[in-house]
Amino acid sequence: MLMRVMWILRVLVIASAFVAIAYDLVWLKDPVGVFWESLLVLVNIVQLSVTYAQNRLEKFNSIESAFVHKAFPGLSNSLKRKILNQGSWVEADEGAELTRAGEPARRLVYIADGEVEIIVNSNVVGRCGNGDFIGELTVLSGEPATGTAITKRRTHYWAIADDELRRLVASNEEISQSVQACFHTNMLSKLIAANHQLQKAGGLVN
């Protein structure tokens, strides 16, 4: 359940199936068990072959590659492409509003190049930059955003609508697990950055 890289999981399944085949042959003398374990090996070898072929066919430019390989390392290239194709790349000028406090985040944003300020009650409480997500806390739940996100300078970002993201997560368990893991990792990095900033000011986030 914790495995993020599917091909490694399939290799472990194949290895365990071979152990089971040896057990069925040597100890149990069970040809039926050998048949089903052999079928399990065959299915996973076919799936690995399909994944390998898909990964070879899918190509990403430098910006796409920096995004998907960092955010979703456990997914096949075909699933990474599926996520990418449901969103779009945007160039926003300084002062563009990405989320508004008190309103649901209507899209998930990934910052490829730029800077975004997070404002709460007219105070700047945080900054996001290259590699950060905007809206990951509330985009799936539909709850109101806690802060207003505004671009500090010209920003290049990828965005996917909330309903499209929910549909993707609901349609594929691999995508769901990878997205959730990505959100947790991003929130942890933001918390660490916030702690560093507060330590400089004499405080600490627990």
Side-chain angles (χ1 to χ4, degrees), residues 149-182:
I150 298 179
T151 55
K152 182 66 174 177
R153 60 181 175 88
R154 188 168 181 80
T155 298
H156 184 207
Y157 65 87
W158 174 87
I160 182 173
D162 56 346
D163 56 346
E164 286 292 342
L165 182 60
R166 291 192 195 100
R167 185 185 63 78
L168 274 175
V169 168
S171 66
N172 188 287
E173 184 62 25
E174 288 184 61
I175 291 179
S176 176
Q177 292 182 4
S178 188
V179 167
Q180 294 293 345
C182 175

Side-chain angles (χ1 to χ4, degrees), residues 132 184-194:
D132 284 329
H184 292 160
T185 300
N186 191 69
M187 283 306 305
L188 179 60
S189 66
K190 286 182 178 179
L191 181 60
I192 291 173

Side-chain angles (χ1 to χ4, degrees), residues 76-95:
S76 66
N77 285 354
S78 60
L79 290 180
K80 292 173 183 175
R81 173 56 64 187
K82 184 176 182 180
I83 294 175
L84 273 173
N85 288 347
Q86 298 306 311
S88 58
W89 291 98
V90 180
E91 288 280 352
D93 292 327
E94 178 183 351

Side-chain angles (χ1 to χ4, degrees), residues 2-138:
L2 297 176
M3 185 75 68
R4 294 184 63 189
V5 182
M6 183 55 65
W7 73 265
I8 296 179
L9 179 60
R10 292 196 183 280
V11 169
L12 291 176
V13 169
I14 291 172
S16 67
F18 276 124
V19 172
I21 288 172
Y23 180 71
D24 288 336
L25 280 173
V26 176
W27 282 277
L28 298 182
K29 312 294 184 182
D30 179 14
V32 175
V34 171
F35 169 78
W36 287 112
E37 295 296 343
S38 299
L39 187 61
L40 180 61
V41 170
L42 179 62
V43 168
N44 278 278
I45 289 177
V46 170
Q47 288 295 329
L48 283 173
S49 300
V50 170
T51 299
Y52 177 77
Q54 290 174 337
N55 286 342
R56 290 293 300 272
L57 290 173
E58 291 292 347
K59 303 296 181 182
F60 304 99
N61 62 36
S62 58
I63 296 176
E64 292 174 335
S65 181
F67 168 32
V68 295
H69 294 327
K70 177 184 177 182
F72 313 114
L75 292 182
S76 66
N77 285 354
S78 60
L79 290 180
K80 292 173 183 175
R81 173 56 64 187
K82 184 176 182 180
I83 294 175
L84 273 173
N85 288 347
Q86 298 306 311
S88 58
W89 291 98
V90 180
E91 288 280 352
D93 292 327
E94 178 183 351
E97 187 178 273
L98 303 182
T99 63
R100 179 176 293 181
E103 297 183 6
R106 295 302 182 188
R107 56 184 176 170
L108 174 71
V109 172
Y110 167 83
I111 303 172
D113 181 39
E115 184 179 359
V116 176
E117 288 186 336
I118 308 301
I119 301 172
V120 177
N121 297 327
S122 301
N123 297 315
V124 177
V125 299
R127 288 181 172 83
C128 297
N130 299 1
D132 284 329
F133 282 95
I134 303 293
E136 75 277 15
L137 275 178
T138 60

